[in-house]
PDB file of all heavy atoms in Angstrom:
ATOM      1  N   LEU D 121      35.733  60.207 -16.799  1.00 92.00           N
ATOM      2  CA  LEU D 121      36.683  60.974 -15.991  1.00 92.00           C
ATOM      3  C   LEU D 121      38.103  60.790 -16.505  1.00 92.00           C
ATOM      4  O   LEU D 121      38.912  61.729 -16.486  1.00 92.00           O
ATOM      5  CB  LEU D 121      36.577  60.546 -14.544  1.00 92.00           C
ATOM      6  CG  LEU D 121      35.301  61.003 -13.805  1.00 92.00           C
ATOM      7  CD1 LEU D 121      35.282  60.442 -12.396  1.00 92.00           C
ATOM      8  CD2 LEU D 121      35.219  62.519 -13.755  1.00 92.00           C
ATOM      9  N   LEU D 124      38.450  63.053 -19.432  1.00 90.00           N
ATOM     10  CA  LEU D 124      38.612  64.435 -19.004  1.00 90.00           C
ATOM     11  C   LEU D 124      39.980  64.678 -18.386  1.00 90.00           C
ATOM     12  O   LEU D 124      40.570  65.748 -18.581  1.00 90.00           O
ATOM     13  CB  LEU D 124      37.511  64.802 -18.021  1.00 90.00           C
ATOM     14  CG  LEU D 124      36.091  64.879 -18.599  1.00 90.00           C
ATOM     15  CD1 LEU D 124      35.053  64.941 -17.497  1.00 90.00           C
ATOM     16  CD2 LEU D 124      35.947  66.085 -19.517  1.00 90.00           C
ATOM     17  N   TYR D 128      42.610  67.715 -19.073  1.00 87.00           N
ATOM     18  CA  TYR D 128      42.997  68.635 -18.023  1.00 87.00           C
ATOM     19  C   TYR D 128      44.507  68.601 -17.765  1.00 87.00           C
ATOM     20  O   TYR D 128      45.112  69.616 -17.447  1.00 87.00           O
ATOM     21  CB  TYR D 128      42.236  68.296 -16.734  1.00 87.00           C
ATOM     22  CG  TYR D 128      40.743  68.551 -16.829  1.00 87.00           C
ATOM     23  CD1 TYR D 128      39.852  67.771 -16.102  1.00 87.00           C
ATOM     24  CD2 TYR D 128      40.236  69.556 -17.638  1.00 87.00           C
ATOM     25  CE1 TYR D 128      38.489  68.011 -16.175  1.00 87.00           C
ATOM     26  CE2 TYR D 128      38.889  69.786 -17.727  1.00 87.00           C
ATOM     27  CZ  TYR D 128      38.004  69.019 -16.992  1.00 87.00           C
ATOM     28  OH  TYR D 128      36.657  69.244 -17.073  1.00 87.00           O
ATOM     29  N   PHE D 193      31.702  77.027  -5.223  1.00 53.00           N
ATOM     30  CA  PHE D 193      30.924  77.190  -6.432  1.00 53.00           C
ATOM     31  C   PHE D 193      29.587  77.861  -6.156  1.00 53.00           C
ATOM     32  O   PHE D 193      28.585  77.579  -6.805  1.00 53.00           O
ATOM     33  CB  PHE D 193      30.693  75.832  -7.122  1.00 53.00           C
ATOM     34  CG  PHE D 193      31.933  75.003  -7.250  1.00 53.00           C
ATOM     35  CD1 PHE D 193      31.938  73.671  -6.873  1.00 53.00           C
ATOM     36  CD2 PHE D 193      33.109  75.551  -7.731  1.00 53.00           C
ATOM     37  CE1 PHE D 193      33.084  72.912  -6.968  1.00 53.00           C
ATOM     38  CE2 PHE D 193      34.263  74.808  -7.851  1.00 53.00           C
ATOM     39  CZ  PHE D 193      34.244  73.484  -7.465  1.00 53.00           C
ATOM     40  N   GLN D 340      28.464  78.773 -18.355  1.00 82.00           N
ATOM     41  CA  GLN D 340      28.473  77.311 -18.379  1.00 82.00           C
ATOM     42  C   GLN D 340      27.265  76.738 -19.100  1.00 82.00           C
ATOM     43  O   GLN D 340      27.384  75.798 -19.896  1.00 82.00           O
ATOM     44  CB  GLN D 340      28.520  76.779 -16.944  1.00 82.00           C
ATOM     45  CG  GLN D 340      29.842  77.034 -16.251  1.00 82.00           C
ATOM     46  CD  GLN D 340      29.790  76.622 -14.803  1.00 82.00           C
ATOM     47  OE1 GLN D 340      28.727  76.320 -14.273  1.00 82.00           O
ATOM     48  NE2 GLN D 340      30.929  76.624 -14.148  1.00 82.00           N
ATOM     49  N   ILE D 366      33.822  74.000 -20.511  1.00 84.00           N
ATOM     50  CA  ILE D 366      32.955  74.231 -19.359  1.00 84.00           C
ATOM     51  C   ILE D 366      33.786  74.260 -18.073  1.00 84.00           C
ATOM     52  O   ILE D 366      33.252  74.421 -16.989  1.00 84.00           O
ATOM     53  CB  ILE D 366      31.857  73.153 -19.290  1.00 84.00           C
ATOM     54  CG1 ILE D 366      31.184  73.014 -20.654  1.00 84.00           C
ATOM     55  CG2 ILE D 366      30.783  73.508 -18.279  1.00 84.00           C
ATOM     56  CD1 ILE D 366      30.125  71.945 -20.722  1.00 84.00           C
ATOM     57  N   LYS D 367      35.072  74.093 -18.192  1.00 74.00           N
ATOM     58  CA  LYS D 367      36.036  74.194 -17.076  1.00 74.00           C
ATOM     59  C   LYS D 367      35.726  73.171 -15.984  1.00 74.00           C
ATOM     60  O   LYS D 367      35.547  72.011 -16.282  1.00 74.00           O
ATOM     61  CB  LYS D 367      36.082  75.640 -16.569  1.00 74.00           C
ATOM     62  CG  LYS D 367      36.530  76.643 -17.647  1.00 74.00           C
ATOM     63  CD  LYS D 367      36.620  78.008 -17.065  1.00 74.00           C
ATOM     64  CE  LYS D 367      37.159  78.983 -18.119  1.00 74.00           C
ATOM     65  NZ  LYS D 367      36.271  79.109 -19.288  1.00 74.00           N
ATOM     66  N   PHE D 368      35.663  73.625 -14.730  1.00 68.00           N
ATOM     67  CA  PHE D 368      35.595  72.666 -13.614  1.00 68.00           C
ATOM     68  C   PHE D 368      34.320  71.828 -13.668  1.00 68.00           C
ATOM     69  O   PHE D 368      34.286  70.703 -13.154  1.00 68.00           O
ATOM     70  CB  PHE D 368      35.663  73.402 -12.273  1.00 68.00           C
ATOM     71  CG  PHE D 368      34.442  74.230 -11.956  1.00 68.00           C
ATOM     72  CD1 PHE D 368      33.356  73.662 -11.331  1.00 68.00           C
ATOM     73  CD2 PHE D 368      34.379  75.569 -12.283  1.00 68.00           C
ATOM     74  CE1 PHE D 368      32.233  74.400 -11.016  1.00 68.00           C
ATOM     75  CE2 PHE D 368      33.270  76.316 -12.000  1.00 68.00           C
ATOM     76  CZ  PHE D 368      32.185  75.747 -11.364  1.00 68.00           C
ATOM     77  N   ALA D 369      33.275  72.351 -14.242  1.00 62.00           N
ATOM     78  CA  ALA D 369      32.001  71.614 -14.256  1.00 62.00           C
ATOM     79  C   ALA D 369      32.038  70.430 -15.199  1.00 62.00           C
ATOM     80  O   ALA D 369      31.107  69.637 -15.231  1.00 62.00           O
ATOM     81  CB  ALA D 369      30.862  72.552 -14.609  1.00 62.00           C
ATOM     82  N   GLY D 370      33.131  70.293 -15.973  1.00 64.00           N
ATOM     83  CA  GLY D 370      33.196  69.176 -16.904  1.00 64.00           C
ATOM     84  C   GLY D 370      33.168  67.832 -16.246  1.00 64.00           C
ATOM     85  O   GLY D 370      32.789  66.834 -16.834  1.00 64.00           O
ATOM     86  N   ASN D 371      33.602  67.764 -14.969  1.00 67.00           N
ATOM     87  CA  ASN D 371      33.548  66.462 -14.281  1.00 67.00           C
ATOM     88  C   ASN D 371      32.648  66.526 -13.048  1.00 67.00           C
ATOM     89  O   ASN D 371      32.887  65.853 -12.061  1.00 67.00           O
ATOM     90  CB  ASN D 371      34.942  65.960 -13.899  1.00 67.00           C
ATOM     91  CG  ASN D 371      35.710  66.991 -13.072  1.00 67.00           C
ATOM     92  OD1 ASN D 371      35.152  67.955 -12.586  1.00 67.00           O
ATOM     93  ND2 ASN D 371      37.004  66.742 -12.895  1.00 67.00           N
ATOM     94  N   SER D 372      31.605  67.343 -13.120  1.00 74.00           N
ATOM     95  CA  SER D 372      30.615  67.385 -12.029  1.00 74.00           C
ATOM     96  C   SER D 372      29.241  67.185 -12.640  1.00 74.00           C
ATOM     97  O   SER D 372      29.022  66.195 -13.332  1.00 74.00           O
ATOM     98  CB  SER D 372      30.718  68.706 -11.252  1.00 74.00           C
ATOM     99  OG  SER D 372      30.515  69.799 -12.124  1.00 74.00           O
ATOM    100  N   ASP D 373      28.303  68.101 -12.398  1.00 77.00           N
ATOM    101  CA  ASP D 373      26.977  67.905 -12.971  1.00 77.00           C
ATOM    102  C   ASP D 373      26.975  68.016 -14.485  1.00 77.00           C
ATOM    103  O   ASP D 373      26.116  67.435 -15.146  1.00 77.00           O
ATOM    104  CB  ASP D 373      25.968  68.898 -12.353  1.00 77.00           C
ATOM    105  CG  ASP D 373      26.468  70.340 -12.424  1.00 77.00           C
ATOM    106  OD1 ASP D 373      27.688  70.542 -12.612  1.00 77.00           O
ATOM    107  OD2 ASP D 373      25.651  71.252 -12.239  1.00 77.00           O
ATOM    108  N   PHE D 374      27.964  68.709 -15.050  1.00 87.00           N
ATOM    109  CA  PHE D 374      28.015  68.875 -16.506  1.00 87.00           C
ATOM    110  C   PHE D 374      28.700  67.724 -17.210  1.00 87.00           C
ATOM    111  O   PHE D 374      28.994  67.816 -18.407  1.00 87.00           O
ATOM    112  CB  PHE D 374      28.734  70.182 -16.861  1.00 87.00           C
ATOM    113  CG  PHE D 374      27.861  71.389 -16.755  1.00 87.00           C
ATOM    114  CD1 PHE D 374      27.817  72.126 -15.597  1.00 87.00           C
ATOM    115  CD2 PHE D 374      27.067  71.783 -17.814  1.00 87.00           C
ATOM    116  CE1 PHE D 374      27.020  73.237 -15.470  1.00 87.00           C
ATOM    117  CE2 PHE D 374      26.262  72.910 -17.722  1.00 87.00           C
ATOM    118  CZ  PHE D 374      26.235  73.657 -16.542  1.00 87.00           C
ATOM    119  N   ILE D 375      28.999  66.628 -16.501  1.00 90.00           N
ATOM    120  CA  ILE D 375      29.637  65.497 -17.180  1.00 90.00           C
ATOM    121  C   ILE D 375      28.698  64.919 -18.251  1.00 90.00           C
ATOM    122  O   ILE D 375      29.137  64.294 -19.227  1.00 90.00           O
ATOM    123  CB  ILE D 375      30.042  64.420 -16.169  1.00 90.00           C
ATOM    124  CG1 ILE D 375      31.048  63.446 -16.819  1.00 90.00           C
ATOM    125  CG2 ILE D 375      28.829  63.683 -15.610  1.00 90.00           C
ATOM    126  CD1 ILE D 375      31.684  62.512 -15.815  1.00 90.00           C
ATOM    127  N   LEU D 376      27.401  65.152 -18.094  1.00 92.00           N
ATOM    128  CA  LEU D 376      26.450  64.672 -19.121  1.00 92.00           C
ATOM    129  C   LEU D 376      26.667  65.385 -20.441  1.00 92.00           C
ATOM    130  O   LEU D 376      26.368  64.834 -21.499  1.00 92.00           O
ATOM    131  CB  LEU D 376      25.022  64.892 -18.624  1.00 92.00           C
ATOM    132  CG  LEU D 376      23.913  64.268 -19.487  1.00 92.00           C
ATOM    133  CD1 LEU D 376      24.038  62.744 -19.483  1.00 92.00           C
ATOM    134  CD2 LEU D 376      22.531  64.679 -18.982  1.00 92.00           C
ATOM    135  N   THR D 377      27.204  66.605 -20.410  1.00 92.00           N
ATOM    136  CA  THR D 377      27.473  67.290 -21.672  1.00 92.00           C
ATOM    137  C   THR D 377      28.605  66.610 -22.433  1.00 92.00           C
ATOM    138  O   THR D 377      28.629  66.654 -23.665  1.00 92.00           O
ATOM    139  CB  THR D 377      27.843  68.766 -21.435  1.00 92.00           C
ATOM    140  OG1 THR D 377      29.064  68.834 -20.682  1.00 92.00           O
ATOM    141  CG2 THR D 377      26.758  69.477 -20.656  1.00 92.00           C
ATOM    142  N   VAL D 432      19.482  67.299 -12.490  1.00 91.00           N
ATOM    143  CA  VAL D 432      20.787  67.474 -13.134  1.00 91.00           C
ATOM    144  C   VAL D 432      20.609  67.584 -14.654  1.00 91.00           C
ATOM    145  O   VAL D 432      21.131  68.506 -15.295  1.00 91.00           O
ATOM    146  CB  VAL D 432      21.731  66.314 -12.783  1.00 91.00           C
ATOM    147  CG1 VAL D 432      23.037  66.435 -13.575  1.00 91.00           C
ATOM    148  CG2 VAL D 432      22.029  66.304 -11.294  1.00 91.00           C
ATOM    149  N   VAL D 436      21.365  71.039 -16.972  1.00 90.00           N
ATOM    150  CA  VAL D 436      22.392  71.181 -18.013  1.00 90.00           C
ATOM    151  C   VAL D 436      21.784  71.312 -19.405  1.00 90.00           C
ATOM    152  O   VAL D 436      22.459  71.770 -20.330  1.00 90.00           O
ATOM    153  CB  VAL D 436      23.400  70.015 -17.977  1.00 90.00           C
ATOM    154  CG1 VAL D 436      24.108  69.962 -16.639  1.00 90.00           C
ATOM    155  CG2 VAL D 436      22.712  68.684 -18.271  1.00 90.00           C
ATOM    156  N   GLY D 444      23.537  72.172  -9.626  1.00 74.00           N
ATOM    157  CA  GLY D 444      24.847  71.837  -9.109  1.00 74.00           C
ATOM    158  C   GLY D 444      24.952  70.465  -8.486  1.00 74.00           C
ATOM    159  O   GLY D 444      26.000  70.114  -7.949  1.00 74.00           O
ATOM    160  N   LYS D 445      23.888  69.634  -8.542  1.00 82.00           N
ATOM    161  CA  LYS D 445      23.956  68.292  -7.982  1.00 82.00           C
ATOM    162  C   LYS D 445      24.786  67.395  -8.891  1.00 82.00           C
ATOM    163  O   LYS D 445      24.896  67.598 -10.095  1.00 82.00           O
ATOM    164  CB  LYS D 445      22.558  67.711  -7.839  1.00 82.00           C
ATOM    165  CG  LYS D 445      21.669  68.434  -6.844  1.00 82.00           C
ATOM    166  CD  LYS D 445      22.191  68.282  -5.437  1.00 82.00           C
ATOM    167  CE  LYS D 445      22.033  66.875  -4.902  1.00 82.00           C
ATOM    168  NZ  LYS D 445      22.450  66.740  -3.502  1.00 82.00           N
ATOM    169  N   ALA D 446      25.384  66.368  -8.284  1.00 85.00           N
ATOM    170  CA  ALA D 446      26.197  65.427  -9.039  1.00 85.00           C
ATOM    171  C   ALA D 446      25.317  64.421  -9.763  1.00 85.00           C
ATOM    172  O   ALA D 446      24.300  63.964  -9.233  1.00 85.00           O
ATOM    173  CB  ALA D 446      27.165  64.697  -8.103  1.00 85.00           C
ATOM    174  N   MET D 447      25.700  64.093 -10.996  1.00 91.00           N
ATOM    175  CA  MET D 447      24.984  63.051 -11.737  1.00 91.00           C
ATOM    176  C   MET D 447      25.254  61.710 -11.080  1.00 91.00           C
ATOM    177  O   MET D 447      26.418  61.300 -10.960  1.00 91.00           O
ATOM    178  CB  MET D 447      25.450  63.044 -13.199  1.00 91.00           C
ATOM    179  CG  MET D 447      24.540  62.294 -14.140  1.00 91.00           C
ATOM    180  SD  MET D 447      22.984  63.180 -14.377  1.00 91.00           S
ATOM    181  CE  MET D 447      22.229  62.189 -15.665  1.00 91.00           C
ATOM    182  N   LEU D 450      27.857  58.718 -12.348  1.00 92.00           N
ATOM    183  CA  LEU D 450      28.725  59.207 -13.429  1.00 92.00           C
ATOM    184  C   LEU D 450      29.727  60.262 -12.966  1.00 92.00           C
ATOM    185  O   LEU D 450      30.910  60.193 -13.337  1.00 92.00           O
ATOM    186  CB  LEU D 450      27.883  59.821 -14.559  1.00 92.00           C
ATOM    187  CG  LEU D 450      27.176  58.879 -15.530  1.00 92.00           C
ATOM    188  CD1 LEU D 450      26.453  59.704 -16.583  1.00 92.00           C
ATOM    189  CD2 LEU D 450      28.154  57.926 -16.181  1.00 92.00           C
ATOM    190  N   ALA D 451      29.280  61.217 -12.178  1.00 89.00           N
ATOM    191  CA  ALA D 451      30.095  62.397 -11.897  1.00 89.00           C
ATOM    192  C   ALA D 451      31.073  62.163 -10.764  1.00 89.00           C
ATOM    193  O   ALA D 451      30.920  61.242  -9.950  1.00 89.00           O
ATOM    194  CB  ALA D 451      29.182  63.579 -11.563  1.00 89.00           C
ATOM    195  N   LYS D 452      32.080  63.015 -10.729  1.00 87.00           N
ATOM    196  CA  LYS D 452      33.054  62.992  -9.649  1.00 87.00           C
ATOM    197  C   LYS D 452      32.377  63.306  -8.326  1.00 87.00           C
ATOM    198  O   LYS D 452      31.544  64.185  -8.235  1.00 87.00           O
ATOM    199  CB  LYS D 452      34.145  64.041  -9.932  1.00 87.00           C
ATOM    200  CG  LYS D 452      35.085  64.305  -8.791  1.00 87.00           C
ATOM    201  CD  LYS D 452      35.957  65.500  -9.088  1.00 87.00           C
ATOM    202  CE  LYS D 452      36.788  65.901  -7.883  1.00 87.00           C
ATOM    203  NZ  LYS D 452      37.593  67.112  -8.122  1.00 87.00           N
ATOM    204  N   GLY D 453      32.756  62.563  -7.281  1.00 83.00           N
ATOM    205  CA  GLY D 453      32.210  62.830  -5.951  1.00 83.00           C
ATOM    206  C   GLY D 453      32.140  61.562  -5.111  1.00 83.00           C
ATOM    207  O   GLY D 453      31.417  60.633  -5.480  1.00 83.00           O
TER     208      GLY D 453
END
Side-chain angles (χ1 to χ4, degrees):
L121 288 177
L124 291 167
Y128 293 149
F193 313 131
Q340 291 174 350
I366 310 178
K367 299 183 176 62
F368 70 87
N371 55 12
S372 58
D373 51 343
F374 279 93
I375 196 169
L376 189 64
T377 64
V432 174
V436 299
K445 296 294 290 183
M447 196 70 173
L450 282 183
K452 170 189 172 183

